[in-house]
Structures are given as C-alpha cells and as structure tokens.
Amino acid sequence: MLELSAPVIAIVGPTASGKTDAAQIVAERLGGEVVSADSMQIYRGMDIGTGKLPASERRVPHHGFDLVDPGEPYSAALFQAFARRCFRDIDARGKRAVLCGGTGQYVQAAIDDFVFPKGDQVENPVRERWTAYAEEHGNQALWEALEARDPASAAVIHPNNVRRVVRAFELLEDGTSLAEQRAKLASIPQLVPACFIGLSVDPAALNARIDARVDAMFDAGLVDEVAHLLQSGFRDGITAPQAIGYKEVVAALDGETTMEEAATRIKTATHRYAKRQRTWFRKDRRIRWIDATDPDPVAQAAEALSLVGGVVA
C-alpha cells in the first residue's frame, strides 16, 4: 500500500451526476484538494465542452486540469503517475486528497496496483504502424486484421473503435491481449488506500440533466470555444472519437449538419457515455452509493462524509 496519513476519498459516477460540486464541498470540509480523473479535462482550452470547473469557482486547489494540448498523446499510465504524485504531495502538505471523476480507467489506474504494458505509453511504434494501417485501409480492414490474430479481443471491440483496436495490437506485442486484460480487471489488488463514494442518478433524470447541461454549454459559448480551438490548429484533437461535444460542433461549423442537430447528437452520445460509466462503476463492489437524483450537492457531500467516517483505511 502507498503510505498516506489518510485514505484518498474517491467520488465517482456518470457525467452530470454532481461529482464536481460534491467533491469540492467534501474537500472544503476536510481541508483537502481535488484530483480530477477525467480523460478530457486534461486538455487545455477544452473547458466548456468537458464541464471543467471554472477557475473562478474553485474554492480548493484542483489538479488534473490542462495537462496537455488537444491531440497530444496521453494515457492512463501517465495519469497513474500524475495522480499518485498528487496524492503524495497533498498528503505531505497535511491535506486530504479527493479523487473526482467519471473516467473509470483513470480512477482504477490511480488507486489499484495496475501495471501498464509498454504499449500504453506514448510514442509507441506499434501504435503508429497500426494507426497508419487504419488510415490507409480503413477501420473494417484494421478490425479484420485483429480478428485474424486475436478473435477473442476483436469480439469485444466495435470495428469503428480504431483506438481500441490499435490498443489490442499493442497488447499483443507485449505478450498479452485485451480480452485477457479485461478479465483480470476485477482481480487487481488495491495499492492506494481509498474509500469510494458513488453518485447514482435515476437514468431518466440523468438524461434530462445531461440535456439541460448541453443546452447550457451552448449558451456559455461552446461554439466559440470550438472555433478558437480550430483556429489554434487543434482540429485533430477535438475531432477524435472520444471528444463528445467537440467533433459534433466541428461538423456543424464545416457545414455537414446544423448546429441544432449537433446539439442533439451531443445529447445522444452523452446519454450513451453515461450508460457505459454506470456499467463500469457498478462492477466495483468497493463503492458505496448515494442517491443523487435530487441535485443537492451539500446534502450529498454530507452523506459522503458520513460514509467516509465509517470506512476503515
């Protein structure tokens, strides 16, 4: 176990569940600092579309925002090293670390004793080779090449998920497979002392909350934010498959669809993403769940603190 004077408090859940506000209140009450575990909030300039807490609203120090430029290589392995460094530094300052996020792999990377193969690092020639193969021959051809070598892994990846297919090739190069890795996820031992609090929201209520948040993002200037990123040369980064809220606006700015249709697509994609997040976190039996259907971050923070008080480090 990583030696800390107090366990990390991990507040997790799907997008729009209220994690950001609850985590900040918990950190305030405990004299702590927040570490964001969000794979999109690491990007500079991607603020509105990722729901990044504005600097003017941060009442405690936040870590994990604005680490790299859009499109710059980053990975769960890099986040693991970053988060653990944050935990040690926060603890050394006599503060309490509060991990907050919805990217399940980042949360697990930070807390559990997960050893990443070389393929999960940046500047990987295997990644470059197969990415180039997909660009030349297409997504389906790439997936079929994987199916020929590793049918078990291909069976759990959609052919259009190029990033995941390429990842499977990287793992093969390291002597394992994506299917084997997935099977082992539940049995990885914990390295960082932590207690887990999950915010659960009724799916229908969560979807309505997501829709309202997307509308608010447009009102807050999402289109201008995307236009600025395009002018700054970050098209490849903000049109990546995982960049929900950005690639759809780019398509509208390019005249491929209307802005109204872009908003609808963002809402639909975010609904699906939230469902995947719920599925991921529901598998983790360490999480104690709080009903956050009623959006009351103060009450949820208080309940989280009461649960934390009953958890042994």
Side-chain angles (χ1 to χ4, degrees):
M1 277 282 185
L2 183 71
E3 291 189 8
L4 299 174
S5 59
V8 172
I9 299 172
I11 298 181
V12 303
T15 186
S17 59
K19 300 182 301 296
T20 299
D21 290 338
Q24 176 159 245
I25 294 170
V26 168
E28 279 186 299
R29 300 277 176 85
L30 295 177
E33 302 180 14
V34 175
V35 179
S36 170
D38 187 300
S39 62
M40 298 309 294
Q41 291 181 349
I42 64 170
Y43 293 114
R44 301 184 189 101
M46 295 176 67
D47 302 330
I48 298 172
T50 64
K52 193 181 299 177
L53 186 67
S56 61
E57 298 178 17
R58 299 172 199 169
R59 301 187 298 273
V60 299
H62 280 68
H63 311 272
F65 297 154
D66 307 327
L67 302 181
V68 294
D69 287 331
E72 188 174 337
Y74 201 79
S75 68
L78 293 174
F79 180 77
Q80 180 184 75
F82 170 82
R84 292 178 182 174
R85 185 168 62 251
C86 287
F87 296 156
R88 293 188 186 95
D89 292 346
I90 292 169
D91 191 69
R93 290 192 289 272
K95 302 292 186 178
R96 189 71 175 270
V98 179
L99 182 68
C100 172
T103 303
Q105 190 179 26
Y106 275 29
V107 172
Q108 184 174 43
I111 301 298
D112 294 335
D113 193 15
F114 194 90
V115 178
F116 288 91
K118 296 177 182 177
D120 209 47
Q121 306 298 328
V122 299
E123 298 180 357
N124 187 321
V126 177
R127 178 178 303 171
E128 294 172 1
R129 182 169 73 249
W130 287 108
T131 299
Y133 183 92
E135 292 173 353
E136 181 178 355
H137 301 285
N139 298 356
Q140 185 66 29
L142 175 71
W143 182 85
E144 290 174 356
L146 176 64
E147 185 183 37
R149 289 186 55 184
D150 184 2
S153 294
V156 297
I157 309 173
H158 192 282
N160 287 333
N161 193 337
V162 174
R163 184 175 63 87
R164 183 65 67 180
V165 175
V166 170
R167 177 77 184 112
F169 278 113
E170 295 171 6
L171 290 171
L172 287 174
E173 191 75 13
D174 287 320
T176 183
S177 77
L178 187 140
E180 291 174 0
Q181 188 184 76
R182 282 178 55 134
K184 293 177 181 177
L185 283 176
S187 61
I188 296 173
Q190 188 170 323
L191 179 69
V192 176
C195 43
F196 294 80
I197 303 297
L199 300 189
S200 176
V201 179
D202 172 79
L206 184 66
N207 285 345
R209 198 180 296 181
I210 287 169
D211 292 349
R213 191 168 80 163
V214 171
D215 290 337
M217 287 176 176
F218 276 89
D219 291 341
L222 177 61
V223 175
D224 289 340
E225 178 173 278
V226 174
H228 176 72
L229 289 166
L230 288 173
Q231 293 168 4
S232 300
F234 295 127
R235 175 177 286 268
D236 289 344
I238 63 175
T239 55
Q242 68 272 26
I244 298 173
Y246 291 86
K247 61 181 184 292
E248 295 86 356
V249 173
V250 170
L253 289 173
D254 287 345
E256 298 173 7
T257 185
T258 65
M259 204 60 73
E260 290 74 14
E261 177 61 25
T264 299
R265 291 179 181 179
I266 293 170
K267 293 172 182 177
T268 300
T270 308
H271 295 169
R272 292 171 179 165
Y273 177 56
K275 183 177 180 180
R276 293 195 299 272
Q277 290 175 301
R278 289 197 301 270
T279 299
W280 176 289
F281 289 121
R282 283 294 179 187
K283 295 177 182 178
D284 194 331
R285 297 185 179 275
R286 297 171 294 184
I287 300 174
R288 296 189 175 194
W289 291 95
I290 292 172
D291 185 355
T293 300
D294 180 13
D296 186 346
V298 174
Q300 284 138 24
E303 187 173 354
L305 286 167
S306 69
L307 292 174
V308 168
V311 176
V312 178

